[in-house]
């Protein structure tokens, strides 16, 4: 009896002083949470404690660090979560949502932890982390051309499980095998088959989420609006994604990869200029990524332009195709390697000897990625003139470190309506990723590189999409705006929201307002609710 009384008093305290809960000693928050979690899951506290961690727990740091993929957010001054929950079942996820709600903490959801600005595990407000990495089941069903892929699985696991069952099935998703399904698919997801098959979210059959009421809902249960929203509208705004049912795509038994490089003194400017007319228009079986990097060669500062490509076909065919369409590349058969689609995924992951690499490397989660990094994005709708490419190269040499990646669109991408999914950038020529990585932990150095990224982004203004200038959600970039979770969050959210989603932002806001009016599922760049009418 006295115990019930105490918890009622506690509860009333939380209700009457919601903001004060933030100053509760974390131990009491932990105990309150644990008690609720244990009750909701009907599991003894001792057992539950294996899945709920406070900073005093000896495993806390290991668990937090396991999915930090950017060393910028791995320092002693990086804000840390008050509680980490690592659910092992849907009912754990449900309980985590319901038990967090009254505590008024920001509830961060993390699957693969690849968010470029760390939003899945960092916040400047007191926060919890729900780490989905234990919910990683992947089951592939070749007869029905489909697979169930859990949020906590990695793309490498998805590719590997497909490879186990078939050499002529694949899935169009990202090229980095440690990226998580949860963030990748909820944010759109693209890879080197995008010109042939579009985005990952163009191949969704079903999904499961836990909503703000703690319910586990499939596509029928959540309805078409919410299903649409989680097909690219961003993880963390609408619920906890448990996983997706995807449609597999056919891949040929033999594909071709190649990498060819040019420098400024060997025609890089012309090649990059011409690439803009070919990359987005050529045979949709061909994806030619362009990497542009300032380098020092023979003691001279120059720019290297590298084409890294996947062709869903044979080497002879892509060599003769490019002899006609892009002779500036001077592609030879010797530059090409034929292999299976799965091996091409290894090759794209920088496994030089893809055909001799153990396929099981794609199951490895313990990669030691300790580099610091920053990314930004842009879209190009009309070709950059030749003198523009020249001035860009000069600018990149002047800045010294930051590189660019051009990803060609066209093909299947341009056939899909802009509102078919929340991802609106269907008719662009290509996407630019700004990319800088470094190894030194000094704050001064970090500031320099972050500024380099901003400066190049600003330099590119004249060449890229406008009104709104566009950006790719999965290339998370807090420089383009954040919301403070407060009363101006709609106005703040509209800034980055229009850049990421264009006109689709309005539908996302409507759905958000309907399914999560209290804005429980939020982060610095989540979809805001509509401002309340006065
Ligand atoms: C090395 C590297 C390579 C990449 N390559 C590609 C690429 O080829 N193509 C591409 O499209 N993108 C690529 N990306 C970007 C990547 O798609 C995004 O960072 C993606 O959001 C990562 O998903 P995650 O689960 O690993 O990340 P997380 O950091 O766990 O999550 C990212 C966001 O999604 C939310 N979220 C995560 N899980 C869930 C869930 N279960 N339910 C609801 N919300 C959730 C998080 O709260 C966060 O806001 C790459 C990133 C890196 C670091
Ligand atoms: C492409 O092949 C040609 C002919 O063998 C060779 O000279 C050239 O160096 C190769 N290019 C690359 C980038 O490997
Ligand atoms: C690639 O494989 C060849 C032949 O097995 C070997 O000689 C070479 O050292 C390997 N290269 C790398 C980078 O592993
Ligand atoms: C984070 O820091 C730990 C301890 O210094 C280190 O072992 C780990 O590799 C780091 N991870 C990243 C991504 O920087």
């Amino acid at each position: 009896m006295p115990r019930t009384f105490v918890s009622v008093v506690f509860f009333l305290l939380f209700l009457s002083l919601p903001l004060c809960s933030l100053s509760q000693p974390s131990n009491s928050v932990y105990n309150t949470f644990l008690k609720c979690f244990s009750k909701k899951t009907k599991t003894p506290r001792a057992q539950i404690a294996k899945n709920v961690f406070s900073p005093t727990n000896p495993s806390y740091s290991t668990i937090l660090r396991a999915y930090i993929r950017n060393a910028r957010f791995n320092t002693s001054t990086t804000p840390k979560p008050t509680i980490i929950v690592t659910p092992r079942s849907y009912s754990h996820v449900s309980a985590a949502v319901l038990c967090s709600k009254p505590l008024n903490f920001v509830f961060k959801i993390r699957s693969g932890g690849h968010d470029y600005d760390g939003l899945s595990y960092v916040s400047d407000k007191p926060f919890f982390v729900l780490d989905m990495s234990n919910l990683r089941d992947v089951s592939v069903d070749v007869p029905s051309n489909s697979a169930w892929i859990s949020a906590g699985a990695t793309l490498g696991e998805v590719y590997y499980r497909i490879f186990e069952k078939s050499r002529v099935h694949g899935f169009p998703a990202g090229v980095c095998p440690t990226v998580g399904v949860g963030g990748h698919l909820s944010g759109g997801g693209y890879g080197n088959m995008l010109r042939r098959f579009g985005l990952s979210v163009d191949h969704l059959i079903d999904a499961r989420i836990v909503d703000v009421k703690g319910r586990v809902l499939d596509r029928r249960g959540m309805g078409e609006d919410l299903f649409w929203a989680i097909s690219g509208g961003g993880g963390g705004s609408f619920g906890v994604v448990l996983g997706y049912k995807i449609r597999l795509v056919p891949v040929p038994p033999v594909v071709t990869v190649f990498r060819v490089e040019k420098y400024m003194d060997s025609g890089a400017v012309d090649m990059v200029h011409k690439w803009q007319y070919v990359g987005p228009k050529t045979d949709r079986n061909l994806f030619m990524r362009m990497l542009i990097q300032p380098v020092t060669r023979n003691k001279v500062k120059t720019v290297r332009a590298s084409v890294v490509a996947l062709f869903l076909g044979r080497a002879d065919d892509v060599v003769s195709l490019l002899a006609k369409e892009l002779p500036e590349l001077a592609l030879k058969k010797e530059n090409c390697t034929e292999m299976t689609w799965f091996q091409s995924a290894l090759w794209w992951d920088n496994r030089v000897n893809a055909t001799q690499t153990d396929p099981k490397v794609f199951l490895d989660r313990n990669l030691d990625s300790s580099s610091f990094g920053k990314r930004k994005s842009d879209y190009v709708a009309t070709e950059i003139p030749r003198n523009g490419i020249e001035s860009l190269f000069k600018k990149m040499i002047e800045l010294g470190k930051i590189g660019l990646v051009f990803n060609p669109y066209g093909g299947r991408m341009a056939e899909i309506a802009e509102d078919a999914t929340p991802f609106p950038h269907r008719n662009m020529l290509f996407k630019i990723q700004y990319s800088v990585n470094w190894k030194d932990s000094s704050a001064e150095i970090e500031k320099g590189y972050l500024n380099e990224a901003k400066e190049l982004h600003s330099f590119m203004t004249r060449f890229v999409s406008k009104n709104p200038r566009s950006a790719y959600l999965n290339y998370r970039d807090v420089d383009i705006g954040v919301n403070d979770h407060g009363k101006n969050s709609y106005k703040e959210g509209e800034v980055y929201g229009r850049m990421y989603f264009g006109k689709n932002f309005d539908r996302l806001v409507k759905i958000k307002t309907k399914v999560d009016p209290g804005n429980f599922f939020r982060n610095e760049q989540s979809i805001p609710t509509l401002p309340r009418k006065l």
Side-chain angles (χ1 to χ4, degrees):
M1 197 273 280
R3 183 175 275 181
T4 333
F5 177 69
V6 168
S7 63
V8 165
V9 169
F10 243 103
F11 189 66
L12 288 177
L13 265 174
F14 282 132
L15 281 186
S16 55
L17 300 168
L19 293 174
C20 295
S21 67
L22 304 185
S23 55
Q24 283 288 325
S26 63
N27 214 26
S28 119
V29 170
Y30 178 75
N31 284 324
T32 310
F33 183 87
L34 204 61
K35 196 165 165 192
C36 170
F37 198 83
S38 160
K39 199 171 149 213
K40 290 244 181 318
T41 57
K42 302 189 179 72
T43 317
R45 280 177 72 141
Q47 204 174 319
I48 281 305
K50 288 184 203 142
N51 299 305
V52 184
F53 304 89
S54 76
T56 54
N57 189 296
S59 311
Y60 174 90
S61 290
T62 315
I63 286 173
L64 179 62
R65 278 187 180 139
Y67 296 96
I68 292 182
R69 293 299 191 205
N70 189 341
R72 278 172 58 210
F73 310 107
N74 191 32
T75 70
S76 56
T77 54
T78 308
K80 307 284 190 297
T82 305
I83 293 179
I84 306 173
V85 189
T86 58
R88 292 184 181 273
S89 67
Y90 293 177
S91 71
H92 283 181
V93 176
S94 202
V97 168
L98 294 173
C99 297
S100 301
K101 247 193 306 181
L103 296 176
N104 217 23
F105 278 68
V106 171
F107 186 79
K108 292 290 178 108
I109 308 164
R110 181 169 78 172
S111 290
H114 281 60
D115 193 296
Y116 281 120
D117 277 334
L119 295 198
S120 55
Y121 55 89
V122 182
S123 177
D124 59 9
K125 308 242 184 328
F127 67 109
F128 295 169
V129 167
L130 181 76
D131 180 305
M132 299 291 285
S133 59
N134 289 327
L135 293 174
R136 59 170 74 166
D137 174 56
V138 173
S139 53
V140 174
D141 185 51
V142 167
S144 69
N145 258 334
S146 68
W148 170 261
I149 58 175
S150 302
T154 64
L155 298 181
E157 287 164 355
V158 173
Y159 300 152
Y160 181 85
R161 298 296 168 206
I162 296 173
F163 155 82
E164 278 186 318
K165 299 243 168 112
S166 166
R167 303 295 141 104
V168 290
H169 288 81
F171 185 65
V175 299
C176 169
T178 51
V179 164
V181 164
H184 188 67
L185 269 70
S186 59
Y190 88 96
N192 53 21
M193 296 198 289
L194 147 140
R195 303 192 63 255
R196 170 74 188 275
F197 294 114
L199 302 175
S200 306
V201 289
D202 298 328
H203 301 270
L204 299 185
I205 302 170
D206 206 334
R208 280 200 203 105
I209 62 160
V210 166
D211 76 350
V212 72
K213 295 180 178 145
R215 298 176 297 187
V216 176
L217 303 173
D218 66 2
R219 181 174 183 168
R220 271 186 67 179
M222 74 182 91
E224 288 304 304
D225 270 343
L226 184 48
F227 181 73
W228 178 85
I230 61 163
S231 305
S237 293
F238 303 95
V240 181
V241 173
L242 299 168
Y244 294 95
K245 186 174 180 186
I246 56 169
R247 190 170 291 110
L248 304 177
V249 301
V251 295
V254 178
V255 305
T256 302
V257 297
F258 65 84
R259 180 185 184 109
V260 172
E261 299 171 350
K262 299 269 175 222
Y263 295 84
M264 282 172 83
D265 61 3
S266 59
V269 172
D270 286 321
M271 199 260 280
V272 172
H273 180 243
K274 178 80 177 288
W275 172 92
Q276 302 176 95
Y277 295 85
V278 181
K281 301 209 170 85
T282 186
D283 184 338
R284 64 181 60 189
N285 288 302
L286 177 58
F287 179 83
M288 289 191 284
R289 171 176 279 181
M290 177 71 78
L291 306 171
I292 303 174
Q293 191 73 52
V295 292
T296 300
R297 190 168 177 248
N298 307 329
K299 296 191 182 133
V300 177
K301 286 186 178 163
T302 181
V303 164
R304 182 180 62 213
S306 323
V307 173
V308 180
L310 171 71
F311 179 63
L312 296 168
R314 307 296 299 239
D316 282 332
D317 295 330
V318 73
V319 170
S320 62
L321 176 71
L322 288 176
K324 267 191 292 199
E325 293 189 352
L326 194 59
E328 291 80 356
L329 200 58
L331 181 71
K332 301 282 176 295
K333 194 167 179 192
E334 296 80 58
N335 305 129
C336 299
T337 316
E338 292 187 332
M339 53 181 67
T340 66
W341 174 77
F342 180 79
Q343 287 167 339
S344 78
L346 293 167
W347 186 87
W348 272 77
D349 185 37
N350 294 318
R351 312 279 169 175
V352 187
N353 278 342
T355 53
Q356 276 123 47
T357 303
D358 181 356
K360 284 209 161 67
V361 297
F362 268 15
L363 303 180
D364 185 7
R365 286 166 173 255
N366 305 318
L367 303 177
D368 187 28
S369 57
S370 58
S371 96
F372 299 74
K374 176 64 190 170
R375 298 291 186 278
K376 303 173 80 64
S377 61
D378 253 323
Y379 282 93
V380 174
T382 47
E383 294 85 357
I384 302 170
R386 191 184 184 284
N387 61 9
I389 303 283
E390 257 181 328
S391 66
L392 168 62
F393 283 14
K394 273 203 204 108
K395 184 73 191 174
M396 291 177 76
I397 290 173
E398 176 199 315
L399 290 170
K401 174 106 172 143
I402 187 158
L404 297 178
V405 184
F406 292 179
N407 291 286
Y409 278 21
R412 180 72 189 131
M413 279 301 269
E415 294 171 352
I416 298 172
E418 290 180 356
D419 60 1
T421 70
F423 179 97
H425 321 295
R426 298 285 185 172
N427 286 306
M428 296 293 178
L429 278 183
F430 58 96
K431 170 170 65 192
I432 299 178
Q433 184 193 63
Y434 300 72
S435 168
V436 58
N437 292 321
W438 65 95
K439 289 279 180 194
D440 192 311
S441 67
S442 110
E444 205 54 34
I445 290 199
E446 167 170 278
K447 208 169 135 213
Y449 290 138
L450 297 184
N451 276 336
E452 245 185 60
K454 282 185 190 153
E455 201 174 329
L456 191 57
H457 188 258
S458 147
F459 175 85
M460 290 301 283
T461 308
R462 72 198 88 163
F463 300 128
V464 299
S465 65
K466 311 179 175 40
N467 306 316
R469 187 171 186 169
S470 307
Y472 176 40
L473 178 79
N474 268 346
Y475 289 170
R476 173 86 62 200
D477 178 11
V478 294
D479 298 349
I480 67 172
V482 293
N483 79 82
D484 197 28
H485 312 174
K487 62 179 190 310
N488 291 323
S489 71
Y490 179 82
K491 266 204 143 45
E492 292 159 353
E494 200 176 11
V495 176
Y496 57 80
R498 297 257 175 235
M499 293 179 76
Y500 287 142
F501 303 112
K503 292 195 181 83
N504 292 333
F505 176 70
D506 297 311
R507 185 173 172 198
L508 288 169
V509 169
K510 270 189 206 147
I511 297 168
K512 167 72 180 180
T513 308
K514 193 165 160 227
V515 304
D516 182 24
N519 199 18
F520 172 71
F521 291 111
R522 63 183 187 271
N523 61 51
E524 292 74 1
Q525 286 195 334
S526 56
I527 301 295
T529 54
L530 271 174
R532 250 177 279 166
K533 299 236 162 60
L534 293 172

